[in-house]
Amino acid sequence: MPILSRLGFMHKLHKLAAGLTLFLATSAPAFGEITASRDSAADIYQSGLQSYQKGELTKAQGLFLEALEKSPDNKFVLYNLGLTDFQLDQRGRAVGAWRKALYVDPDFSLARQALRFAAKQMGPLNSGAMNNWEAFRSDLLSRISLNRALAFNALFLLLSGVFTIRYWARRRDSLRYETPLPAIPYFGILCILGFLGFASLGATKAYDTFQPRATVITKRLDVHSGPSLEDASLFELLEGHEVIIKQAIKDWAQVTYPGGLTGWVRTESLFHSSGRRPW
């Protein structure tokens, strides 16, 4: 197991055990009505962990995939599927699973660490130089959830409203009783600016959240000019590269790599890693 030998077998088992504990804790409400069923995602996931710890990677992979079908947005299933895939030399899907885990929870540090490790082993996980939007998305948007952005937006809206109403009430009273005008509420102005900033950030995050992206899971992938193998090959993508999904027609998807060209690939060569499901 090459990845475990590098990172430490006992360290990984500790991480997996912690992942199982958090999985059961956080998913209790979702699985509360089916905990007696042996076919629940929690039971299948636990069986996968047991197989993984025994070194039965192929069996663990199948169980994690089965659990993922029942709980497609569970970050712990995605994370451990990625660990298993990486050791079985299916590194593209491993990268895609870790990306989706971060899409589900931008604060999931284990998935972020795994992606950094994959980049060291595989090289850059993008198909070219990032433009300004992709750099902004990577450095900021991917690290904050939409709910958090909306929460800060609501907080600054509340604070700016309180200070604005208080200022104008005091100003009205000053004019009425001919007393000195109140001081300008600089903190209130900062709250208004914060509200506008987080409103823009929230709108941008919402756009990014619904934009479908996928990860290439084959070693090399030819991108065609149309949705057919007979169409000309335009360029090549490598395992682990991320693409934006423009549209899907049957078994084909029109993709563009960030800041680059557009073409068609088979959907079986992609792992949906973020945004609305395109197929």
Side-chain angles (χ1 to χ4, degrees):
M1 292 184 275
I3 187 172
L4 291 179
S5 62
R6 291 176 180 271
L7 300 181
F9 182 72
M10 295 305 297
H11 177 70
K12 282 299 179 186
L13 290 185
H14 173 74
K15 293 294 188 181
L16 287 169
L20 174 61
T21 301
L22 289 171
F23 173 85
L24 294 174
T26 57
S27 60
F31 298 121
E33 298 180 357
I34 56 173
T35 51
S37 171
R38 297 301 302 172
D39 294 328
S40 71
D43 289 327
I44 298 170
Y45 173 74
Q46 186 174 10
S47 298
L49 282 180
Q50 293 171 353
S51 297
Y52 181 90
Q53 294 170 357
K54 293 176 182 178
E56 301 171 349
L57 297 182
T58 302
K59 181 179 179 181
Q61 182 187 59
L63 289 167
F64 288 143
L65 286 171
E66 187 178 350
L68 189 64
E69 289 182 1
K70 296 177 177 294
S71 184
D73 293 326
N74 191 291
K75 62 183 180 182
F76 295 108
V77 175
L78 289 162
Y79 172 71
N80 286 288
L81 173 63
L83 286 181
T84 308
D85 282 345
F86 202 93
Q87 294 174 74
L88 291 173
D89 199 32
Q90 298 179 23
R91 297 183 171 188
R93 191 169 66 186
V95 170
W98 292 331
R99 280 178 174 148
K100 187 170 183 179
L102 280 177
Y103 168 74
V104 173
D105 181 6
D107 295 326
F108 191 28
S109 60
L110 290 179
R112 198 172 297 280
Q113 293 169 10
L115 279 176
R116 285 198 293 264
F117 177 82
K120 291 179 181 179
Q121 298 296 308
M122 301 170 61
L125 298 178
N126 55 68
S127 53
M130 291 191 296
N131 56 25
N132 292 336
W133 162 252
E134 291 300 323
F136 172 72
R137 179 180 182 271
S138 175
D139 295 339
L140 180 60
L141 282 186
S142 66
R143 298 176 182 274
I144 185 171
S145 67
L146 178 60
N147 288 339
R148 183 178 299 176
L150 293 177
F152 276 108
N153 188 41
L155 175 62
F156 279 108
L157 175 61
L158 176 63
L159 291 175
S160 60
V162 168
F163 281 95
T164 300
I165 293 173
R166 181 183 298 178
Y167 170 75
W168 284 105
R170 291 178 176 177
R171 180 182 175 86
R172 180 198 59 191
D173 292 340
S174 297
L175 294 175
R176 177 182 298 176
Y177 301 111
E178 298 183 351
T179 58
L181 293 176
I184 297 176
Y186 292 105
F187 184 75
I189 293 175
L190 290 177
C191 289
I192 293 174
L193 294 176
F195 162 70
L196 294 175
F198 275 99
S200 300
L201 181 64
T204 306
K205 181 65 179 180
Y207 166 78
D208 181 66
T209 297
F210 290 101
Q211 184 179 55
R213 292 176 180 247
T215 298
V216 176
I217 61 175
T218 57
K219 298 297 181 183
R220 293 181 179 276
L221 179 62
D222 287 327
V223 182
H224 297 269
S225 59
S228 170
L229 293 175
E230 298 179 356
D231 291 311
S233 178
L234 300 176
F235 55 94
E236 187 179 71
L237 295 171
L238 301 179
E239 184 178 33
H241 284 175
E242 186 178 49
V243 295
I244 300 171
I245 309 296
K246 295 296 186 181
Q247 62 175 316
I249 300 178
K250 295 184 179 180
D251 297 330
W252 287 82
Q254 186 183 34
V255 304
T256 179
Y257 66 82
L261 301 175
T262 298
W264 293 82
V265 298
R266 296 292 296 268
T267 56
E268 64 187 15
S269 302
L270 302 173
F271 182 90
H272 173 238
S273 49
S274 67
R276 60 178 175 80
R277 190 158 188 83
W279 52 75

